[in-house]
Amino acid sequence: MKLSIIIAAYNYPERLFHTLKNLQDSARQYTDEYEVIIVDDGTVPPLESDPRFHAFQHIRWVTQENQGSAVAKTNGVLESTGEYVFLSDSDDLIDSTKLKKQIDGMESSSAEISYSQEKFAWLDEQLSVMRSSSISRHPVKLNALDLLIHEDLRSNNLVYRGDLIRKALEKAPLAPMPLYGPVGDYYILYMVALQKARTVCVDEFLNYWCQYKEGQVSLKRLQLVLSSHRFYYDLLNSSEVQKNQQFVAEFVVRVFRSYRKLPRGTHPKYLRFWEMLLKPYARLLKGEVGGPLFQVVAAALGPLKAARVLRCLQVRTLQSMYHVDQKDFVVLANDYLPEALLS
């Protein structure tokens, strides 16, 4: 099998139908030897029962109880057999030439991961692209660790060598779990980042950030933040990860940036939790994060105290970003990080 396409799906059969058609059109430009593994994450009734999907070829269905995208995508990858693996959610779109161009780039450069440039796409009621605009270009990165930790990539941007991603998930230091569901893509990316891998950039806009009419619900944005923090916490506390000093040094910078993005008004116990977690790594943060003002304050106070002081100057507040107060924040945070906030 030349190519395996993994789709994690939950509800929204209309979007899945559109995504599936888009992905198969792109796959056929590269090869006829491909499989599409759709992992139905507990949809009721099962998506496979929808007659619209019966016309598609090369599909394998995997069903599971609702456990989130980290579990769904991991199960899909471990079911795959393709020389190359591509992952997607059920509401993603890509350029029709993406898979061929990125795999050709991998074959010509002996790379194990490929990525491309990205653009926003606004969709109409029929889920067709009305207009698009480019995003700031991703730089060329030659290794997976540098790419995956320092660039925010769409989950459906990367094409992997099948043996690389299967090995990464088979030997993952953290098992996927439902709490990682909102950031299942991060789970996959960081498990791969622990492996030494060469990357190649196809410097064309082949990937879409799809903007749907209803937009993103604030509560889900907060769940995404808290889920990512739980994942970061577990990863930093993994004994296997601690053995990889290069990874830890790079990863701590990513965690600190995420901590700094927490808005003004975030519960103080939650902030102190992250300060305690990052304190042993403070020496790794000097000169690595923040603009000129942060660097000046950090030189005098240290990076953690500087972050605390500068957060008071942020315009964004917890309530304005997520429409929750501190009490609601504590309740939700305890679902993800019970260690962080004690009643």
Side-chain angles (χ1 to χ4, degrees):
M1 188 70 66
K2 294 291 291 182
L3 172 65
S4 294
I5 296 173
I6 317 298
I7 304 175
Y10 178 65
N11 293 334
Y12 297 111
E14 298 82 7
R15 293 183 185 179
L16 175 59
F17 179 85
H18 198 67
T19 294
L20 186 56
K21 185 177 184 302
N22 170 255
L23 290 176
Q24 290 206 331
D25 288 345
S26 186
R28 290 192 184 102
Q29 292 206 28
Y30 167 63
T31 182
D32 289 329
E33 299 176 26
Y34 70 92
E35 62 179 354
V36 179
I37 300 174
I38 303 177
V39 185
D40 186 343
D41 188 33
T43 304
V44 179
L47 291 165
E48 186 178 6
S49 64
D50 192 316
R52 286 176 291 184
F53 299 118
H54 297 171
F56 288 101
Q57 299 177 329
H58 307 290
I59 291 181
R60 282 202 284 146
W61 292 89
V62 175
T63 58
Q64 64 179 42
E65 294 181 358
N66 182 247
Q67 300 178 75
S69 66
V71 177
K73 289 182 178 179
T74 297
N75 288 340
V77 169
L78 297 180
E79 285 281 334
S80 70
T81 60
E83 183 180 352
Y84 297 96
V85 170
F86 178 73
L87 290 89
S88 175
D89 290 323
S90 60
D91 56 357
D92 289 333
L93 296 177
I94 61 174
D95 186 272
S96 62
T97 63
K98 176 182 174 67
L99 295 176
K100 176 174 173 51
K101 286 180 176 178
Q102 288 190 211
I103 294 174
D104 286 348
M106 295 169 73
E107 292 178 341
S108 63
S109 62
S110 299
E112 294 165 293
I113 298 175
S114 65
Y115 63 103
S116 62
Q117 303 301 344
E118 302 177 334
K119 54 187 174 182
F120 285 111
W122 285 264
L123 307 184
D124 61 19
E125 296 289 345
Q126 288 72 44
L127 305 182
S128 299
V129 177
M130 295 186 297
R131 60 187 177 91
S132 63
S133 65
S134 60
I135 306 172
S136 298
R137 287 180 178 270
H138 295 298
V140 174
K141 302 280 189 178
L142 297 181
N143 67 80
L145 181 61
D146 196 19
L147 172 69
L148 301 180
I149 286 184
H150 295 290
E151 293 298 312
D152 288 318
L153 298 170
R154 285 286 294 151
S155 61
N156 69 328
N157 192 330
L158 302 171
V159 179
Y160 304 89
R161 287 281 307 191
D163 52 1
L164 170 77
I165 190 171
R166 284 188 287 268
K167 176 183 176 183
L169 296 182
E170 286 168 356
K171 299 185 176 182
L174 288 179
M177 62 179 186
L179 282 178
Y180 304 157
V183 288
D185 304 325
Y186 284 124
Y187 174 81
I188 301 290
L189 295 180
Y190 286 118
M191 295 305 100
V192 172
L194 286 162
Q195 307 291 318
K196 293 182 178 178
R198 178 178 174 82
T199 69
V200 62
C201 176
V202 177
D203 195 18
E204 298 182 42
F205 291 95
L206 305 176
N207 230 75
Y208 294 115
W209 287 69
C210 294
Q211 306 294 302
Y212 290 91
K213 184 177 180 181
E214 66 268 24
Q216 191 175 34
V217 179
S218 295
L219 180 60
K220 289 186 177 180
R221 289 179 60 208
L222 180 56
Q223 287 175 323
L224 186 147
V225 170
L226 295 172
S227 176
S228 67
H229 284 182
R230 174 56 186 259
F231 175 58
Y232 292 167
Y233 169 78
D234 290 344
L235 205 54
L236 274 178
N237 282 281
S238 164
S239 58
E240 286 300 310
V241 171
Q242 286 293 329
K243 297 175 184 177
N244 190 330
Q245 295 183 3
Q246 182 186 4
F247 179 88
V248 170
E250 298 279 357
F251 183 61
V252 163
V253 174
R254 176 78 180 217
V255 176
F256 185 66
R257 286 174 176 160
S258 181
Y259 161 76
R260 284 204 64 203
K261 290 179 181 178
L262 288 170
R264 180 162 51 89
T266 299
H267 198 285
K269 287 186 178 180
Y270 193 76
L271 297 176
R272 284 198 295 272
F273 173 82
W274 285 101
E275 289 172 6
M276 291 299 297
L277 182 69
L278 289 164
K279 188 174 181 179
Y281 308 102
R283 60 181 177 80
L284 301 175
L285 302 174
K286 294 180 179 179
E288 295 292 332
V289 291
L293 176 60
F294 177 82
Q295 293 298 332
V296 170
V297 180
L301 302 178
L304 293 176
K305 288 184 178 179
R308 190 186 314 158
V309 169
L310 294 178
R311 180 172 286 105
C312 298
L313 304 178
Q314 288 188 17
V315 175
R316 299 177 307 167
T317 64
L318 182 72
Q319 192 165 16
S320 67
M321 284 187 68
Y322 305 118
H323 305 296
V324 297
D325 58 22
Q326 286 200 6
K327 182 179 179 181
D328 294 331
F329 178 88
V330 170
V331 171
L332 189 57
N334 275 317
D335 291 339
Y336 288 92
L337 281 170
E339 305 92 339
L341 297 169
L342 302 177
S343 57

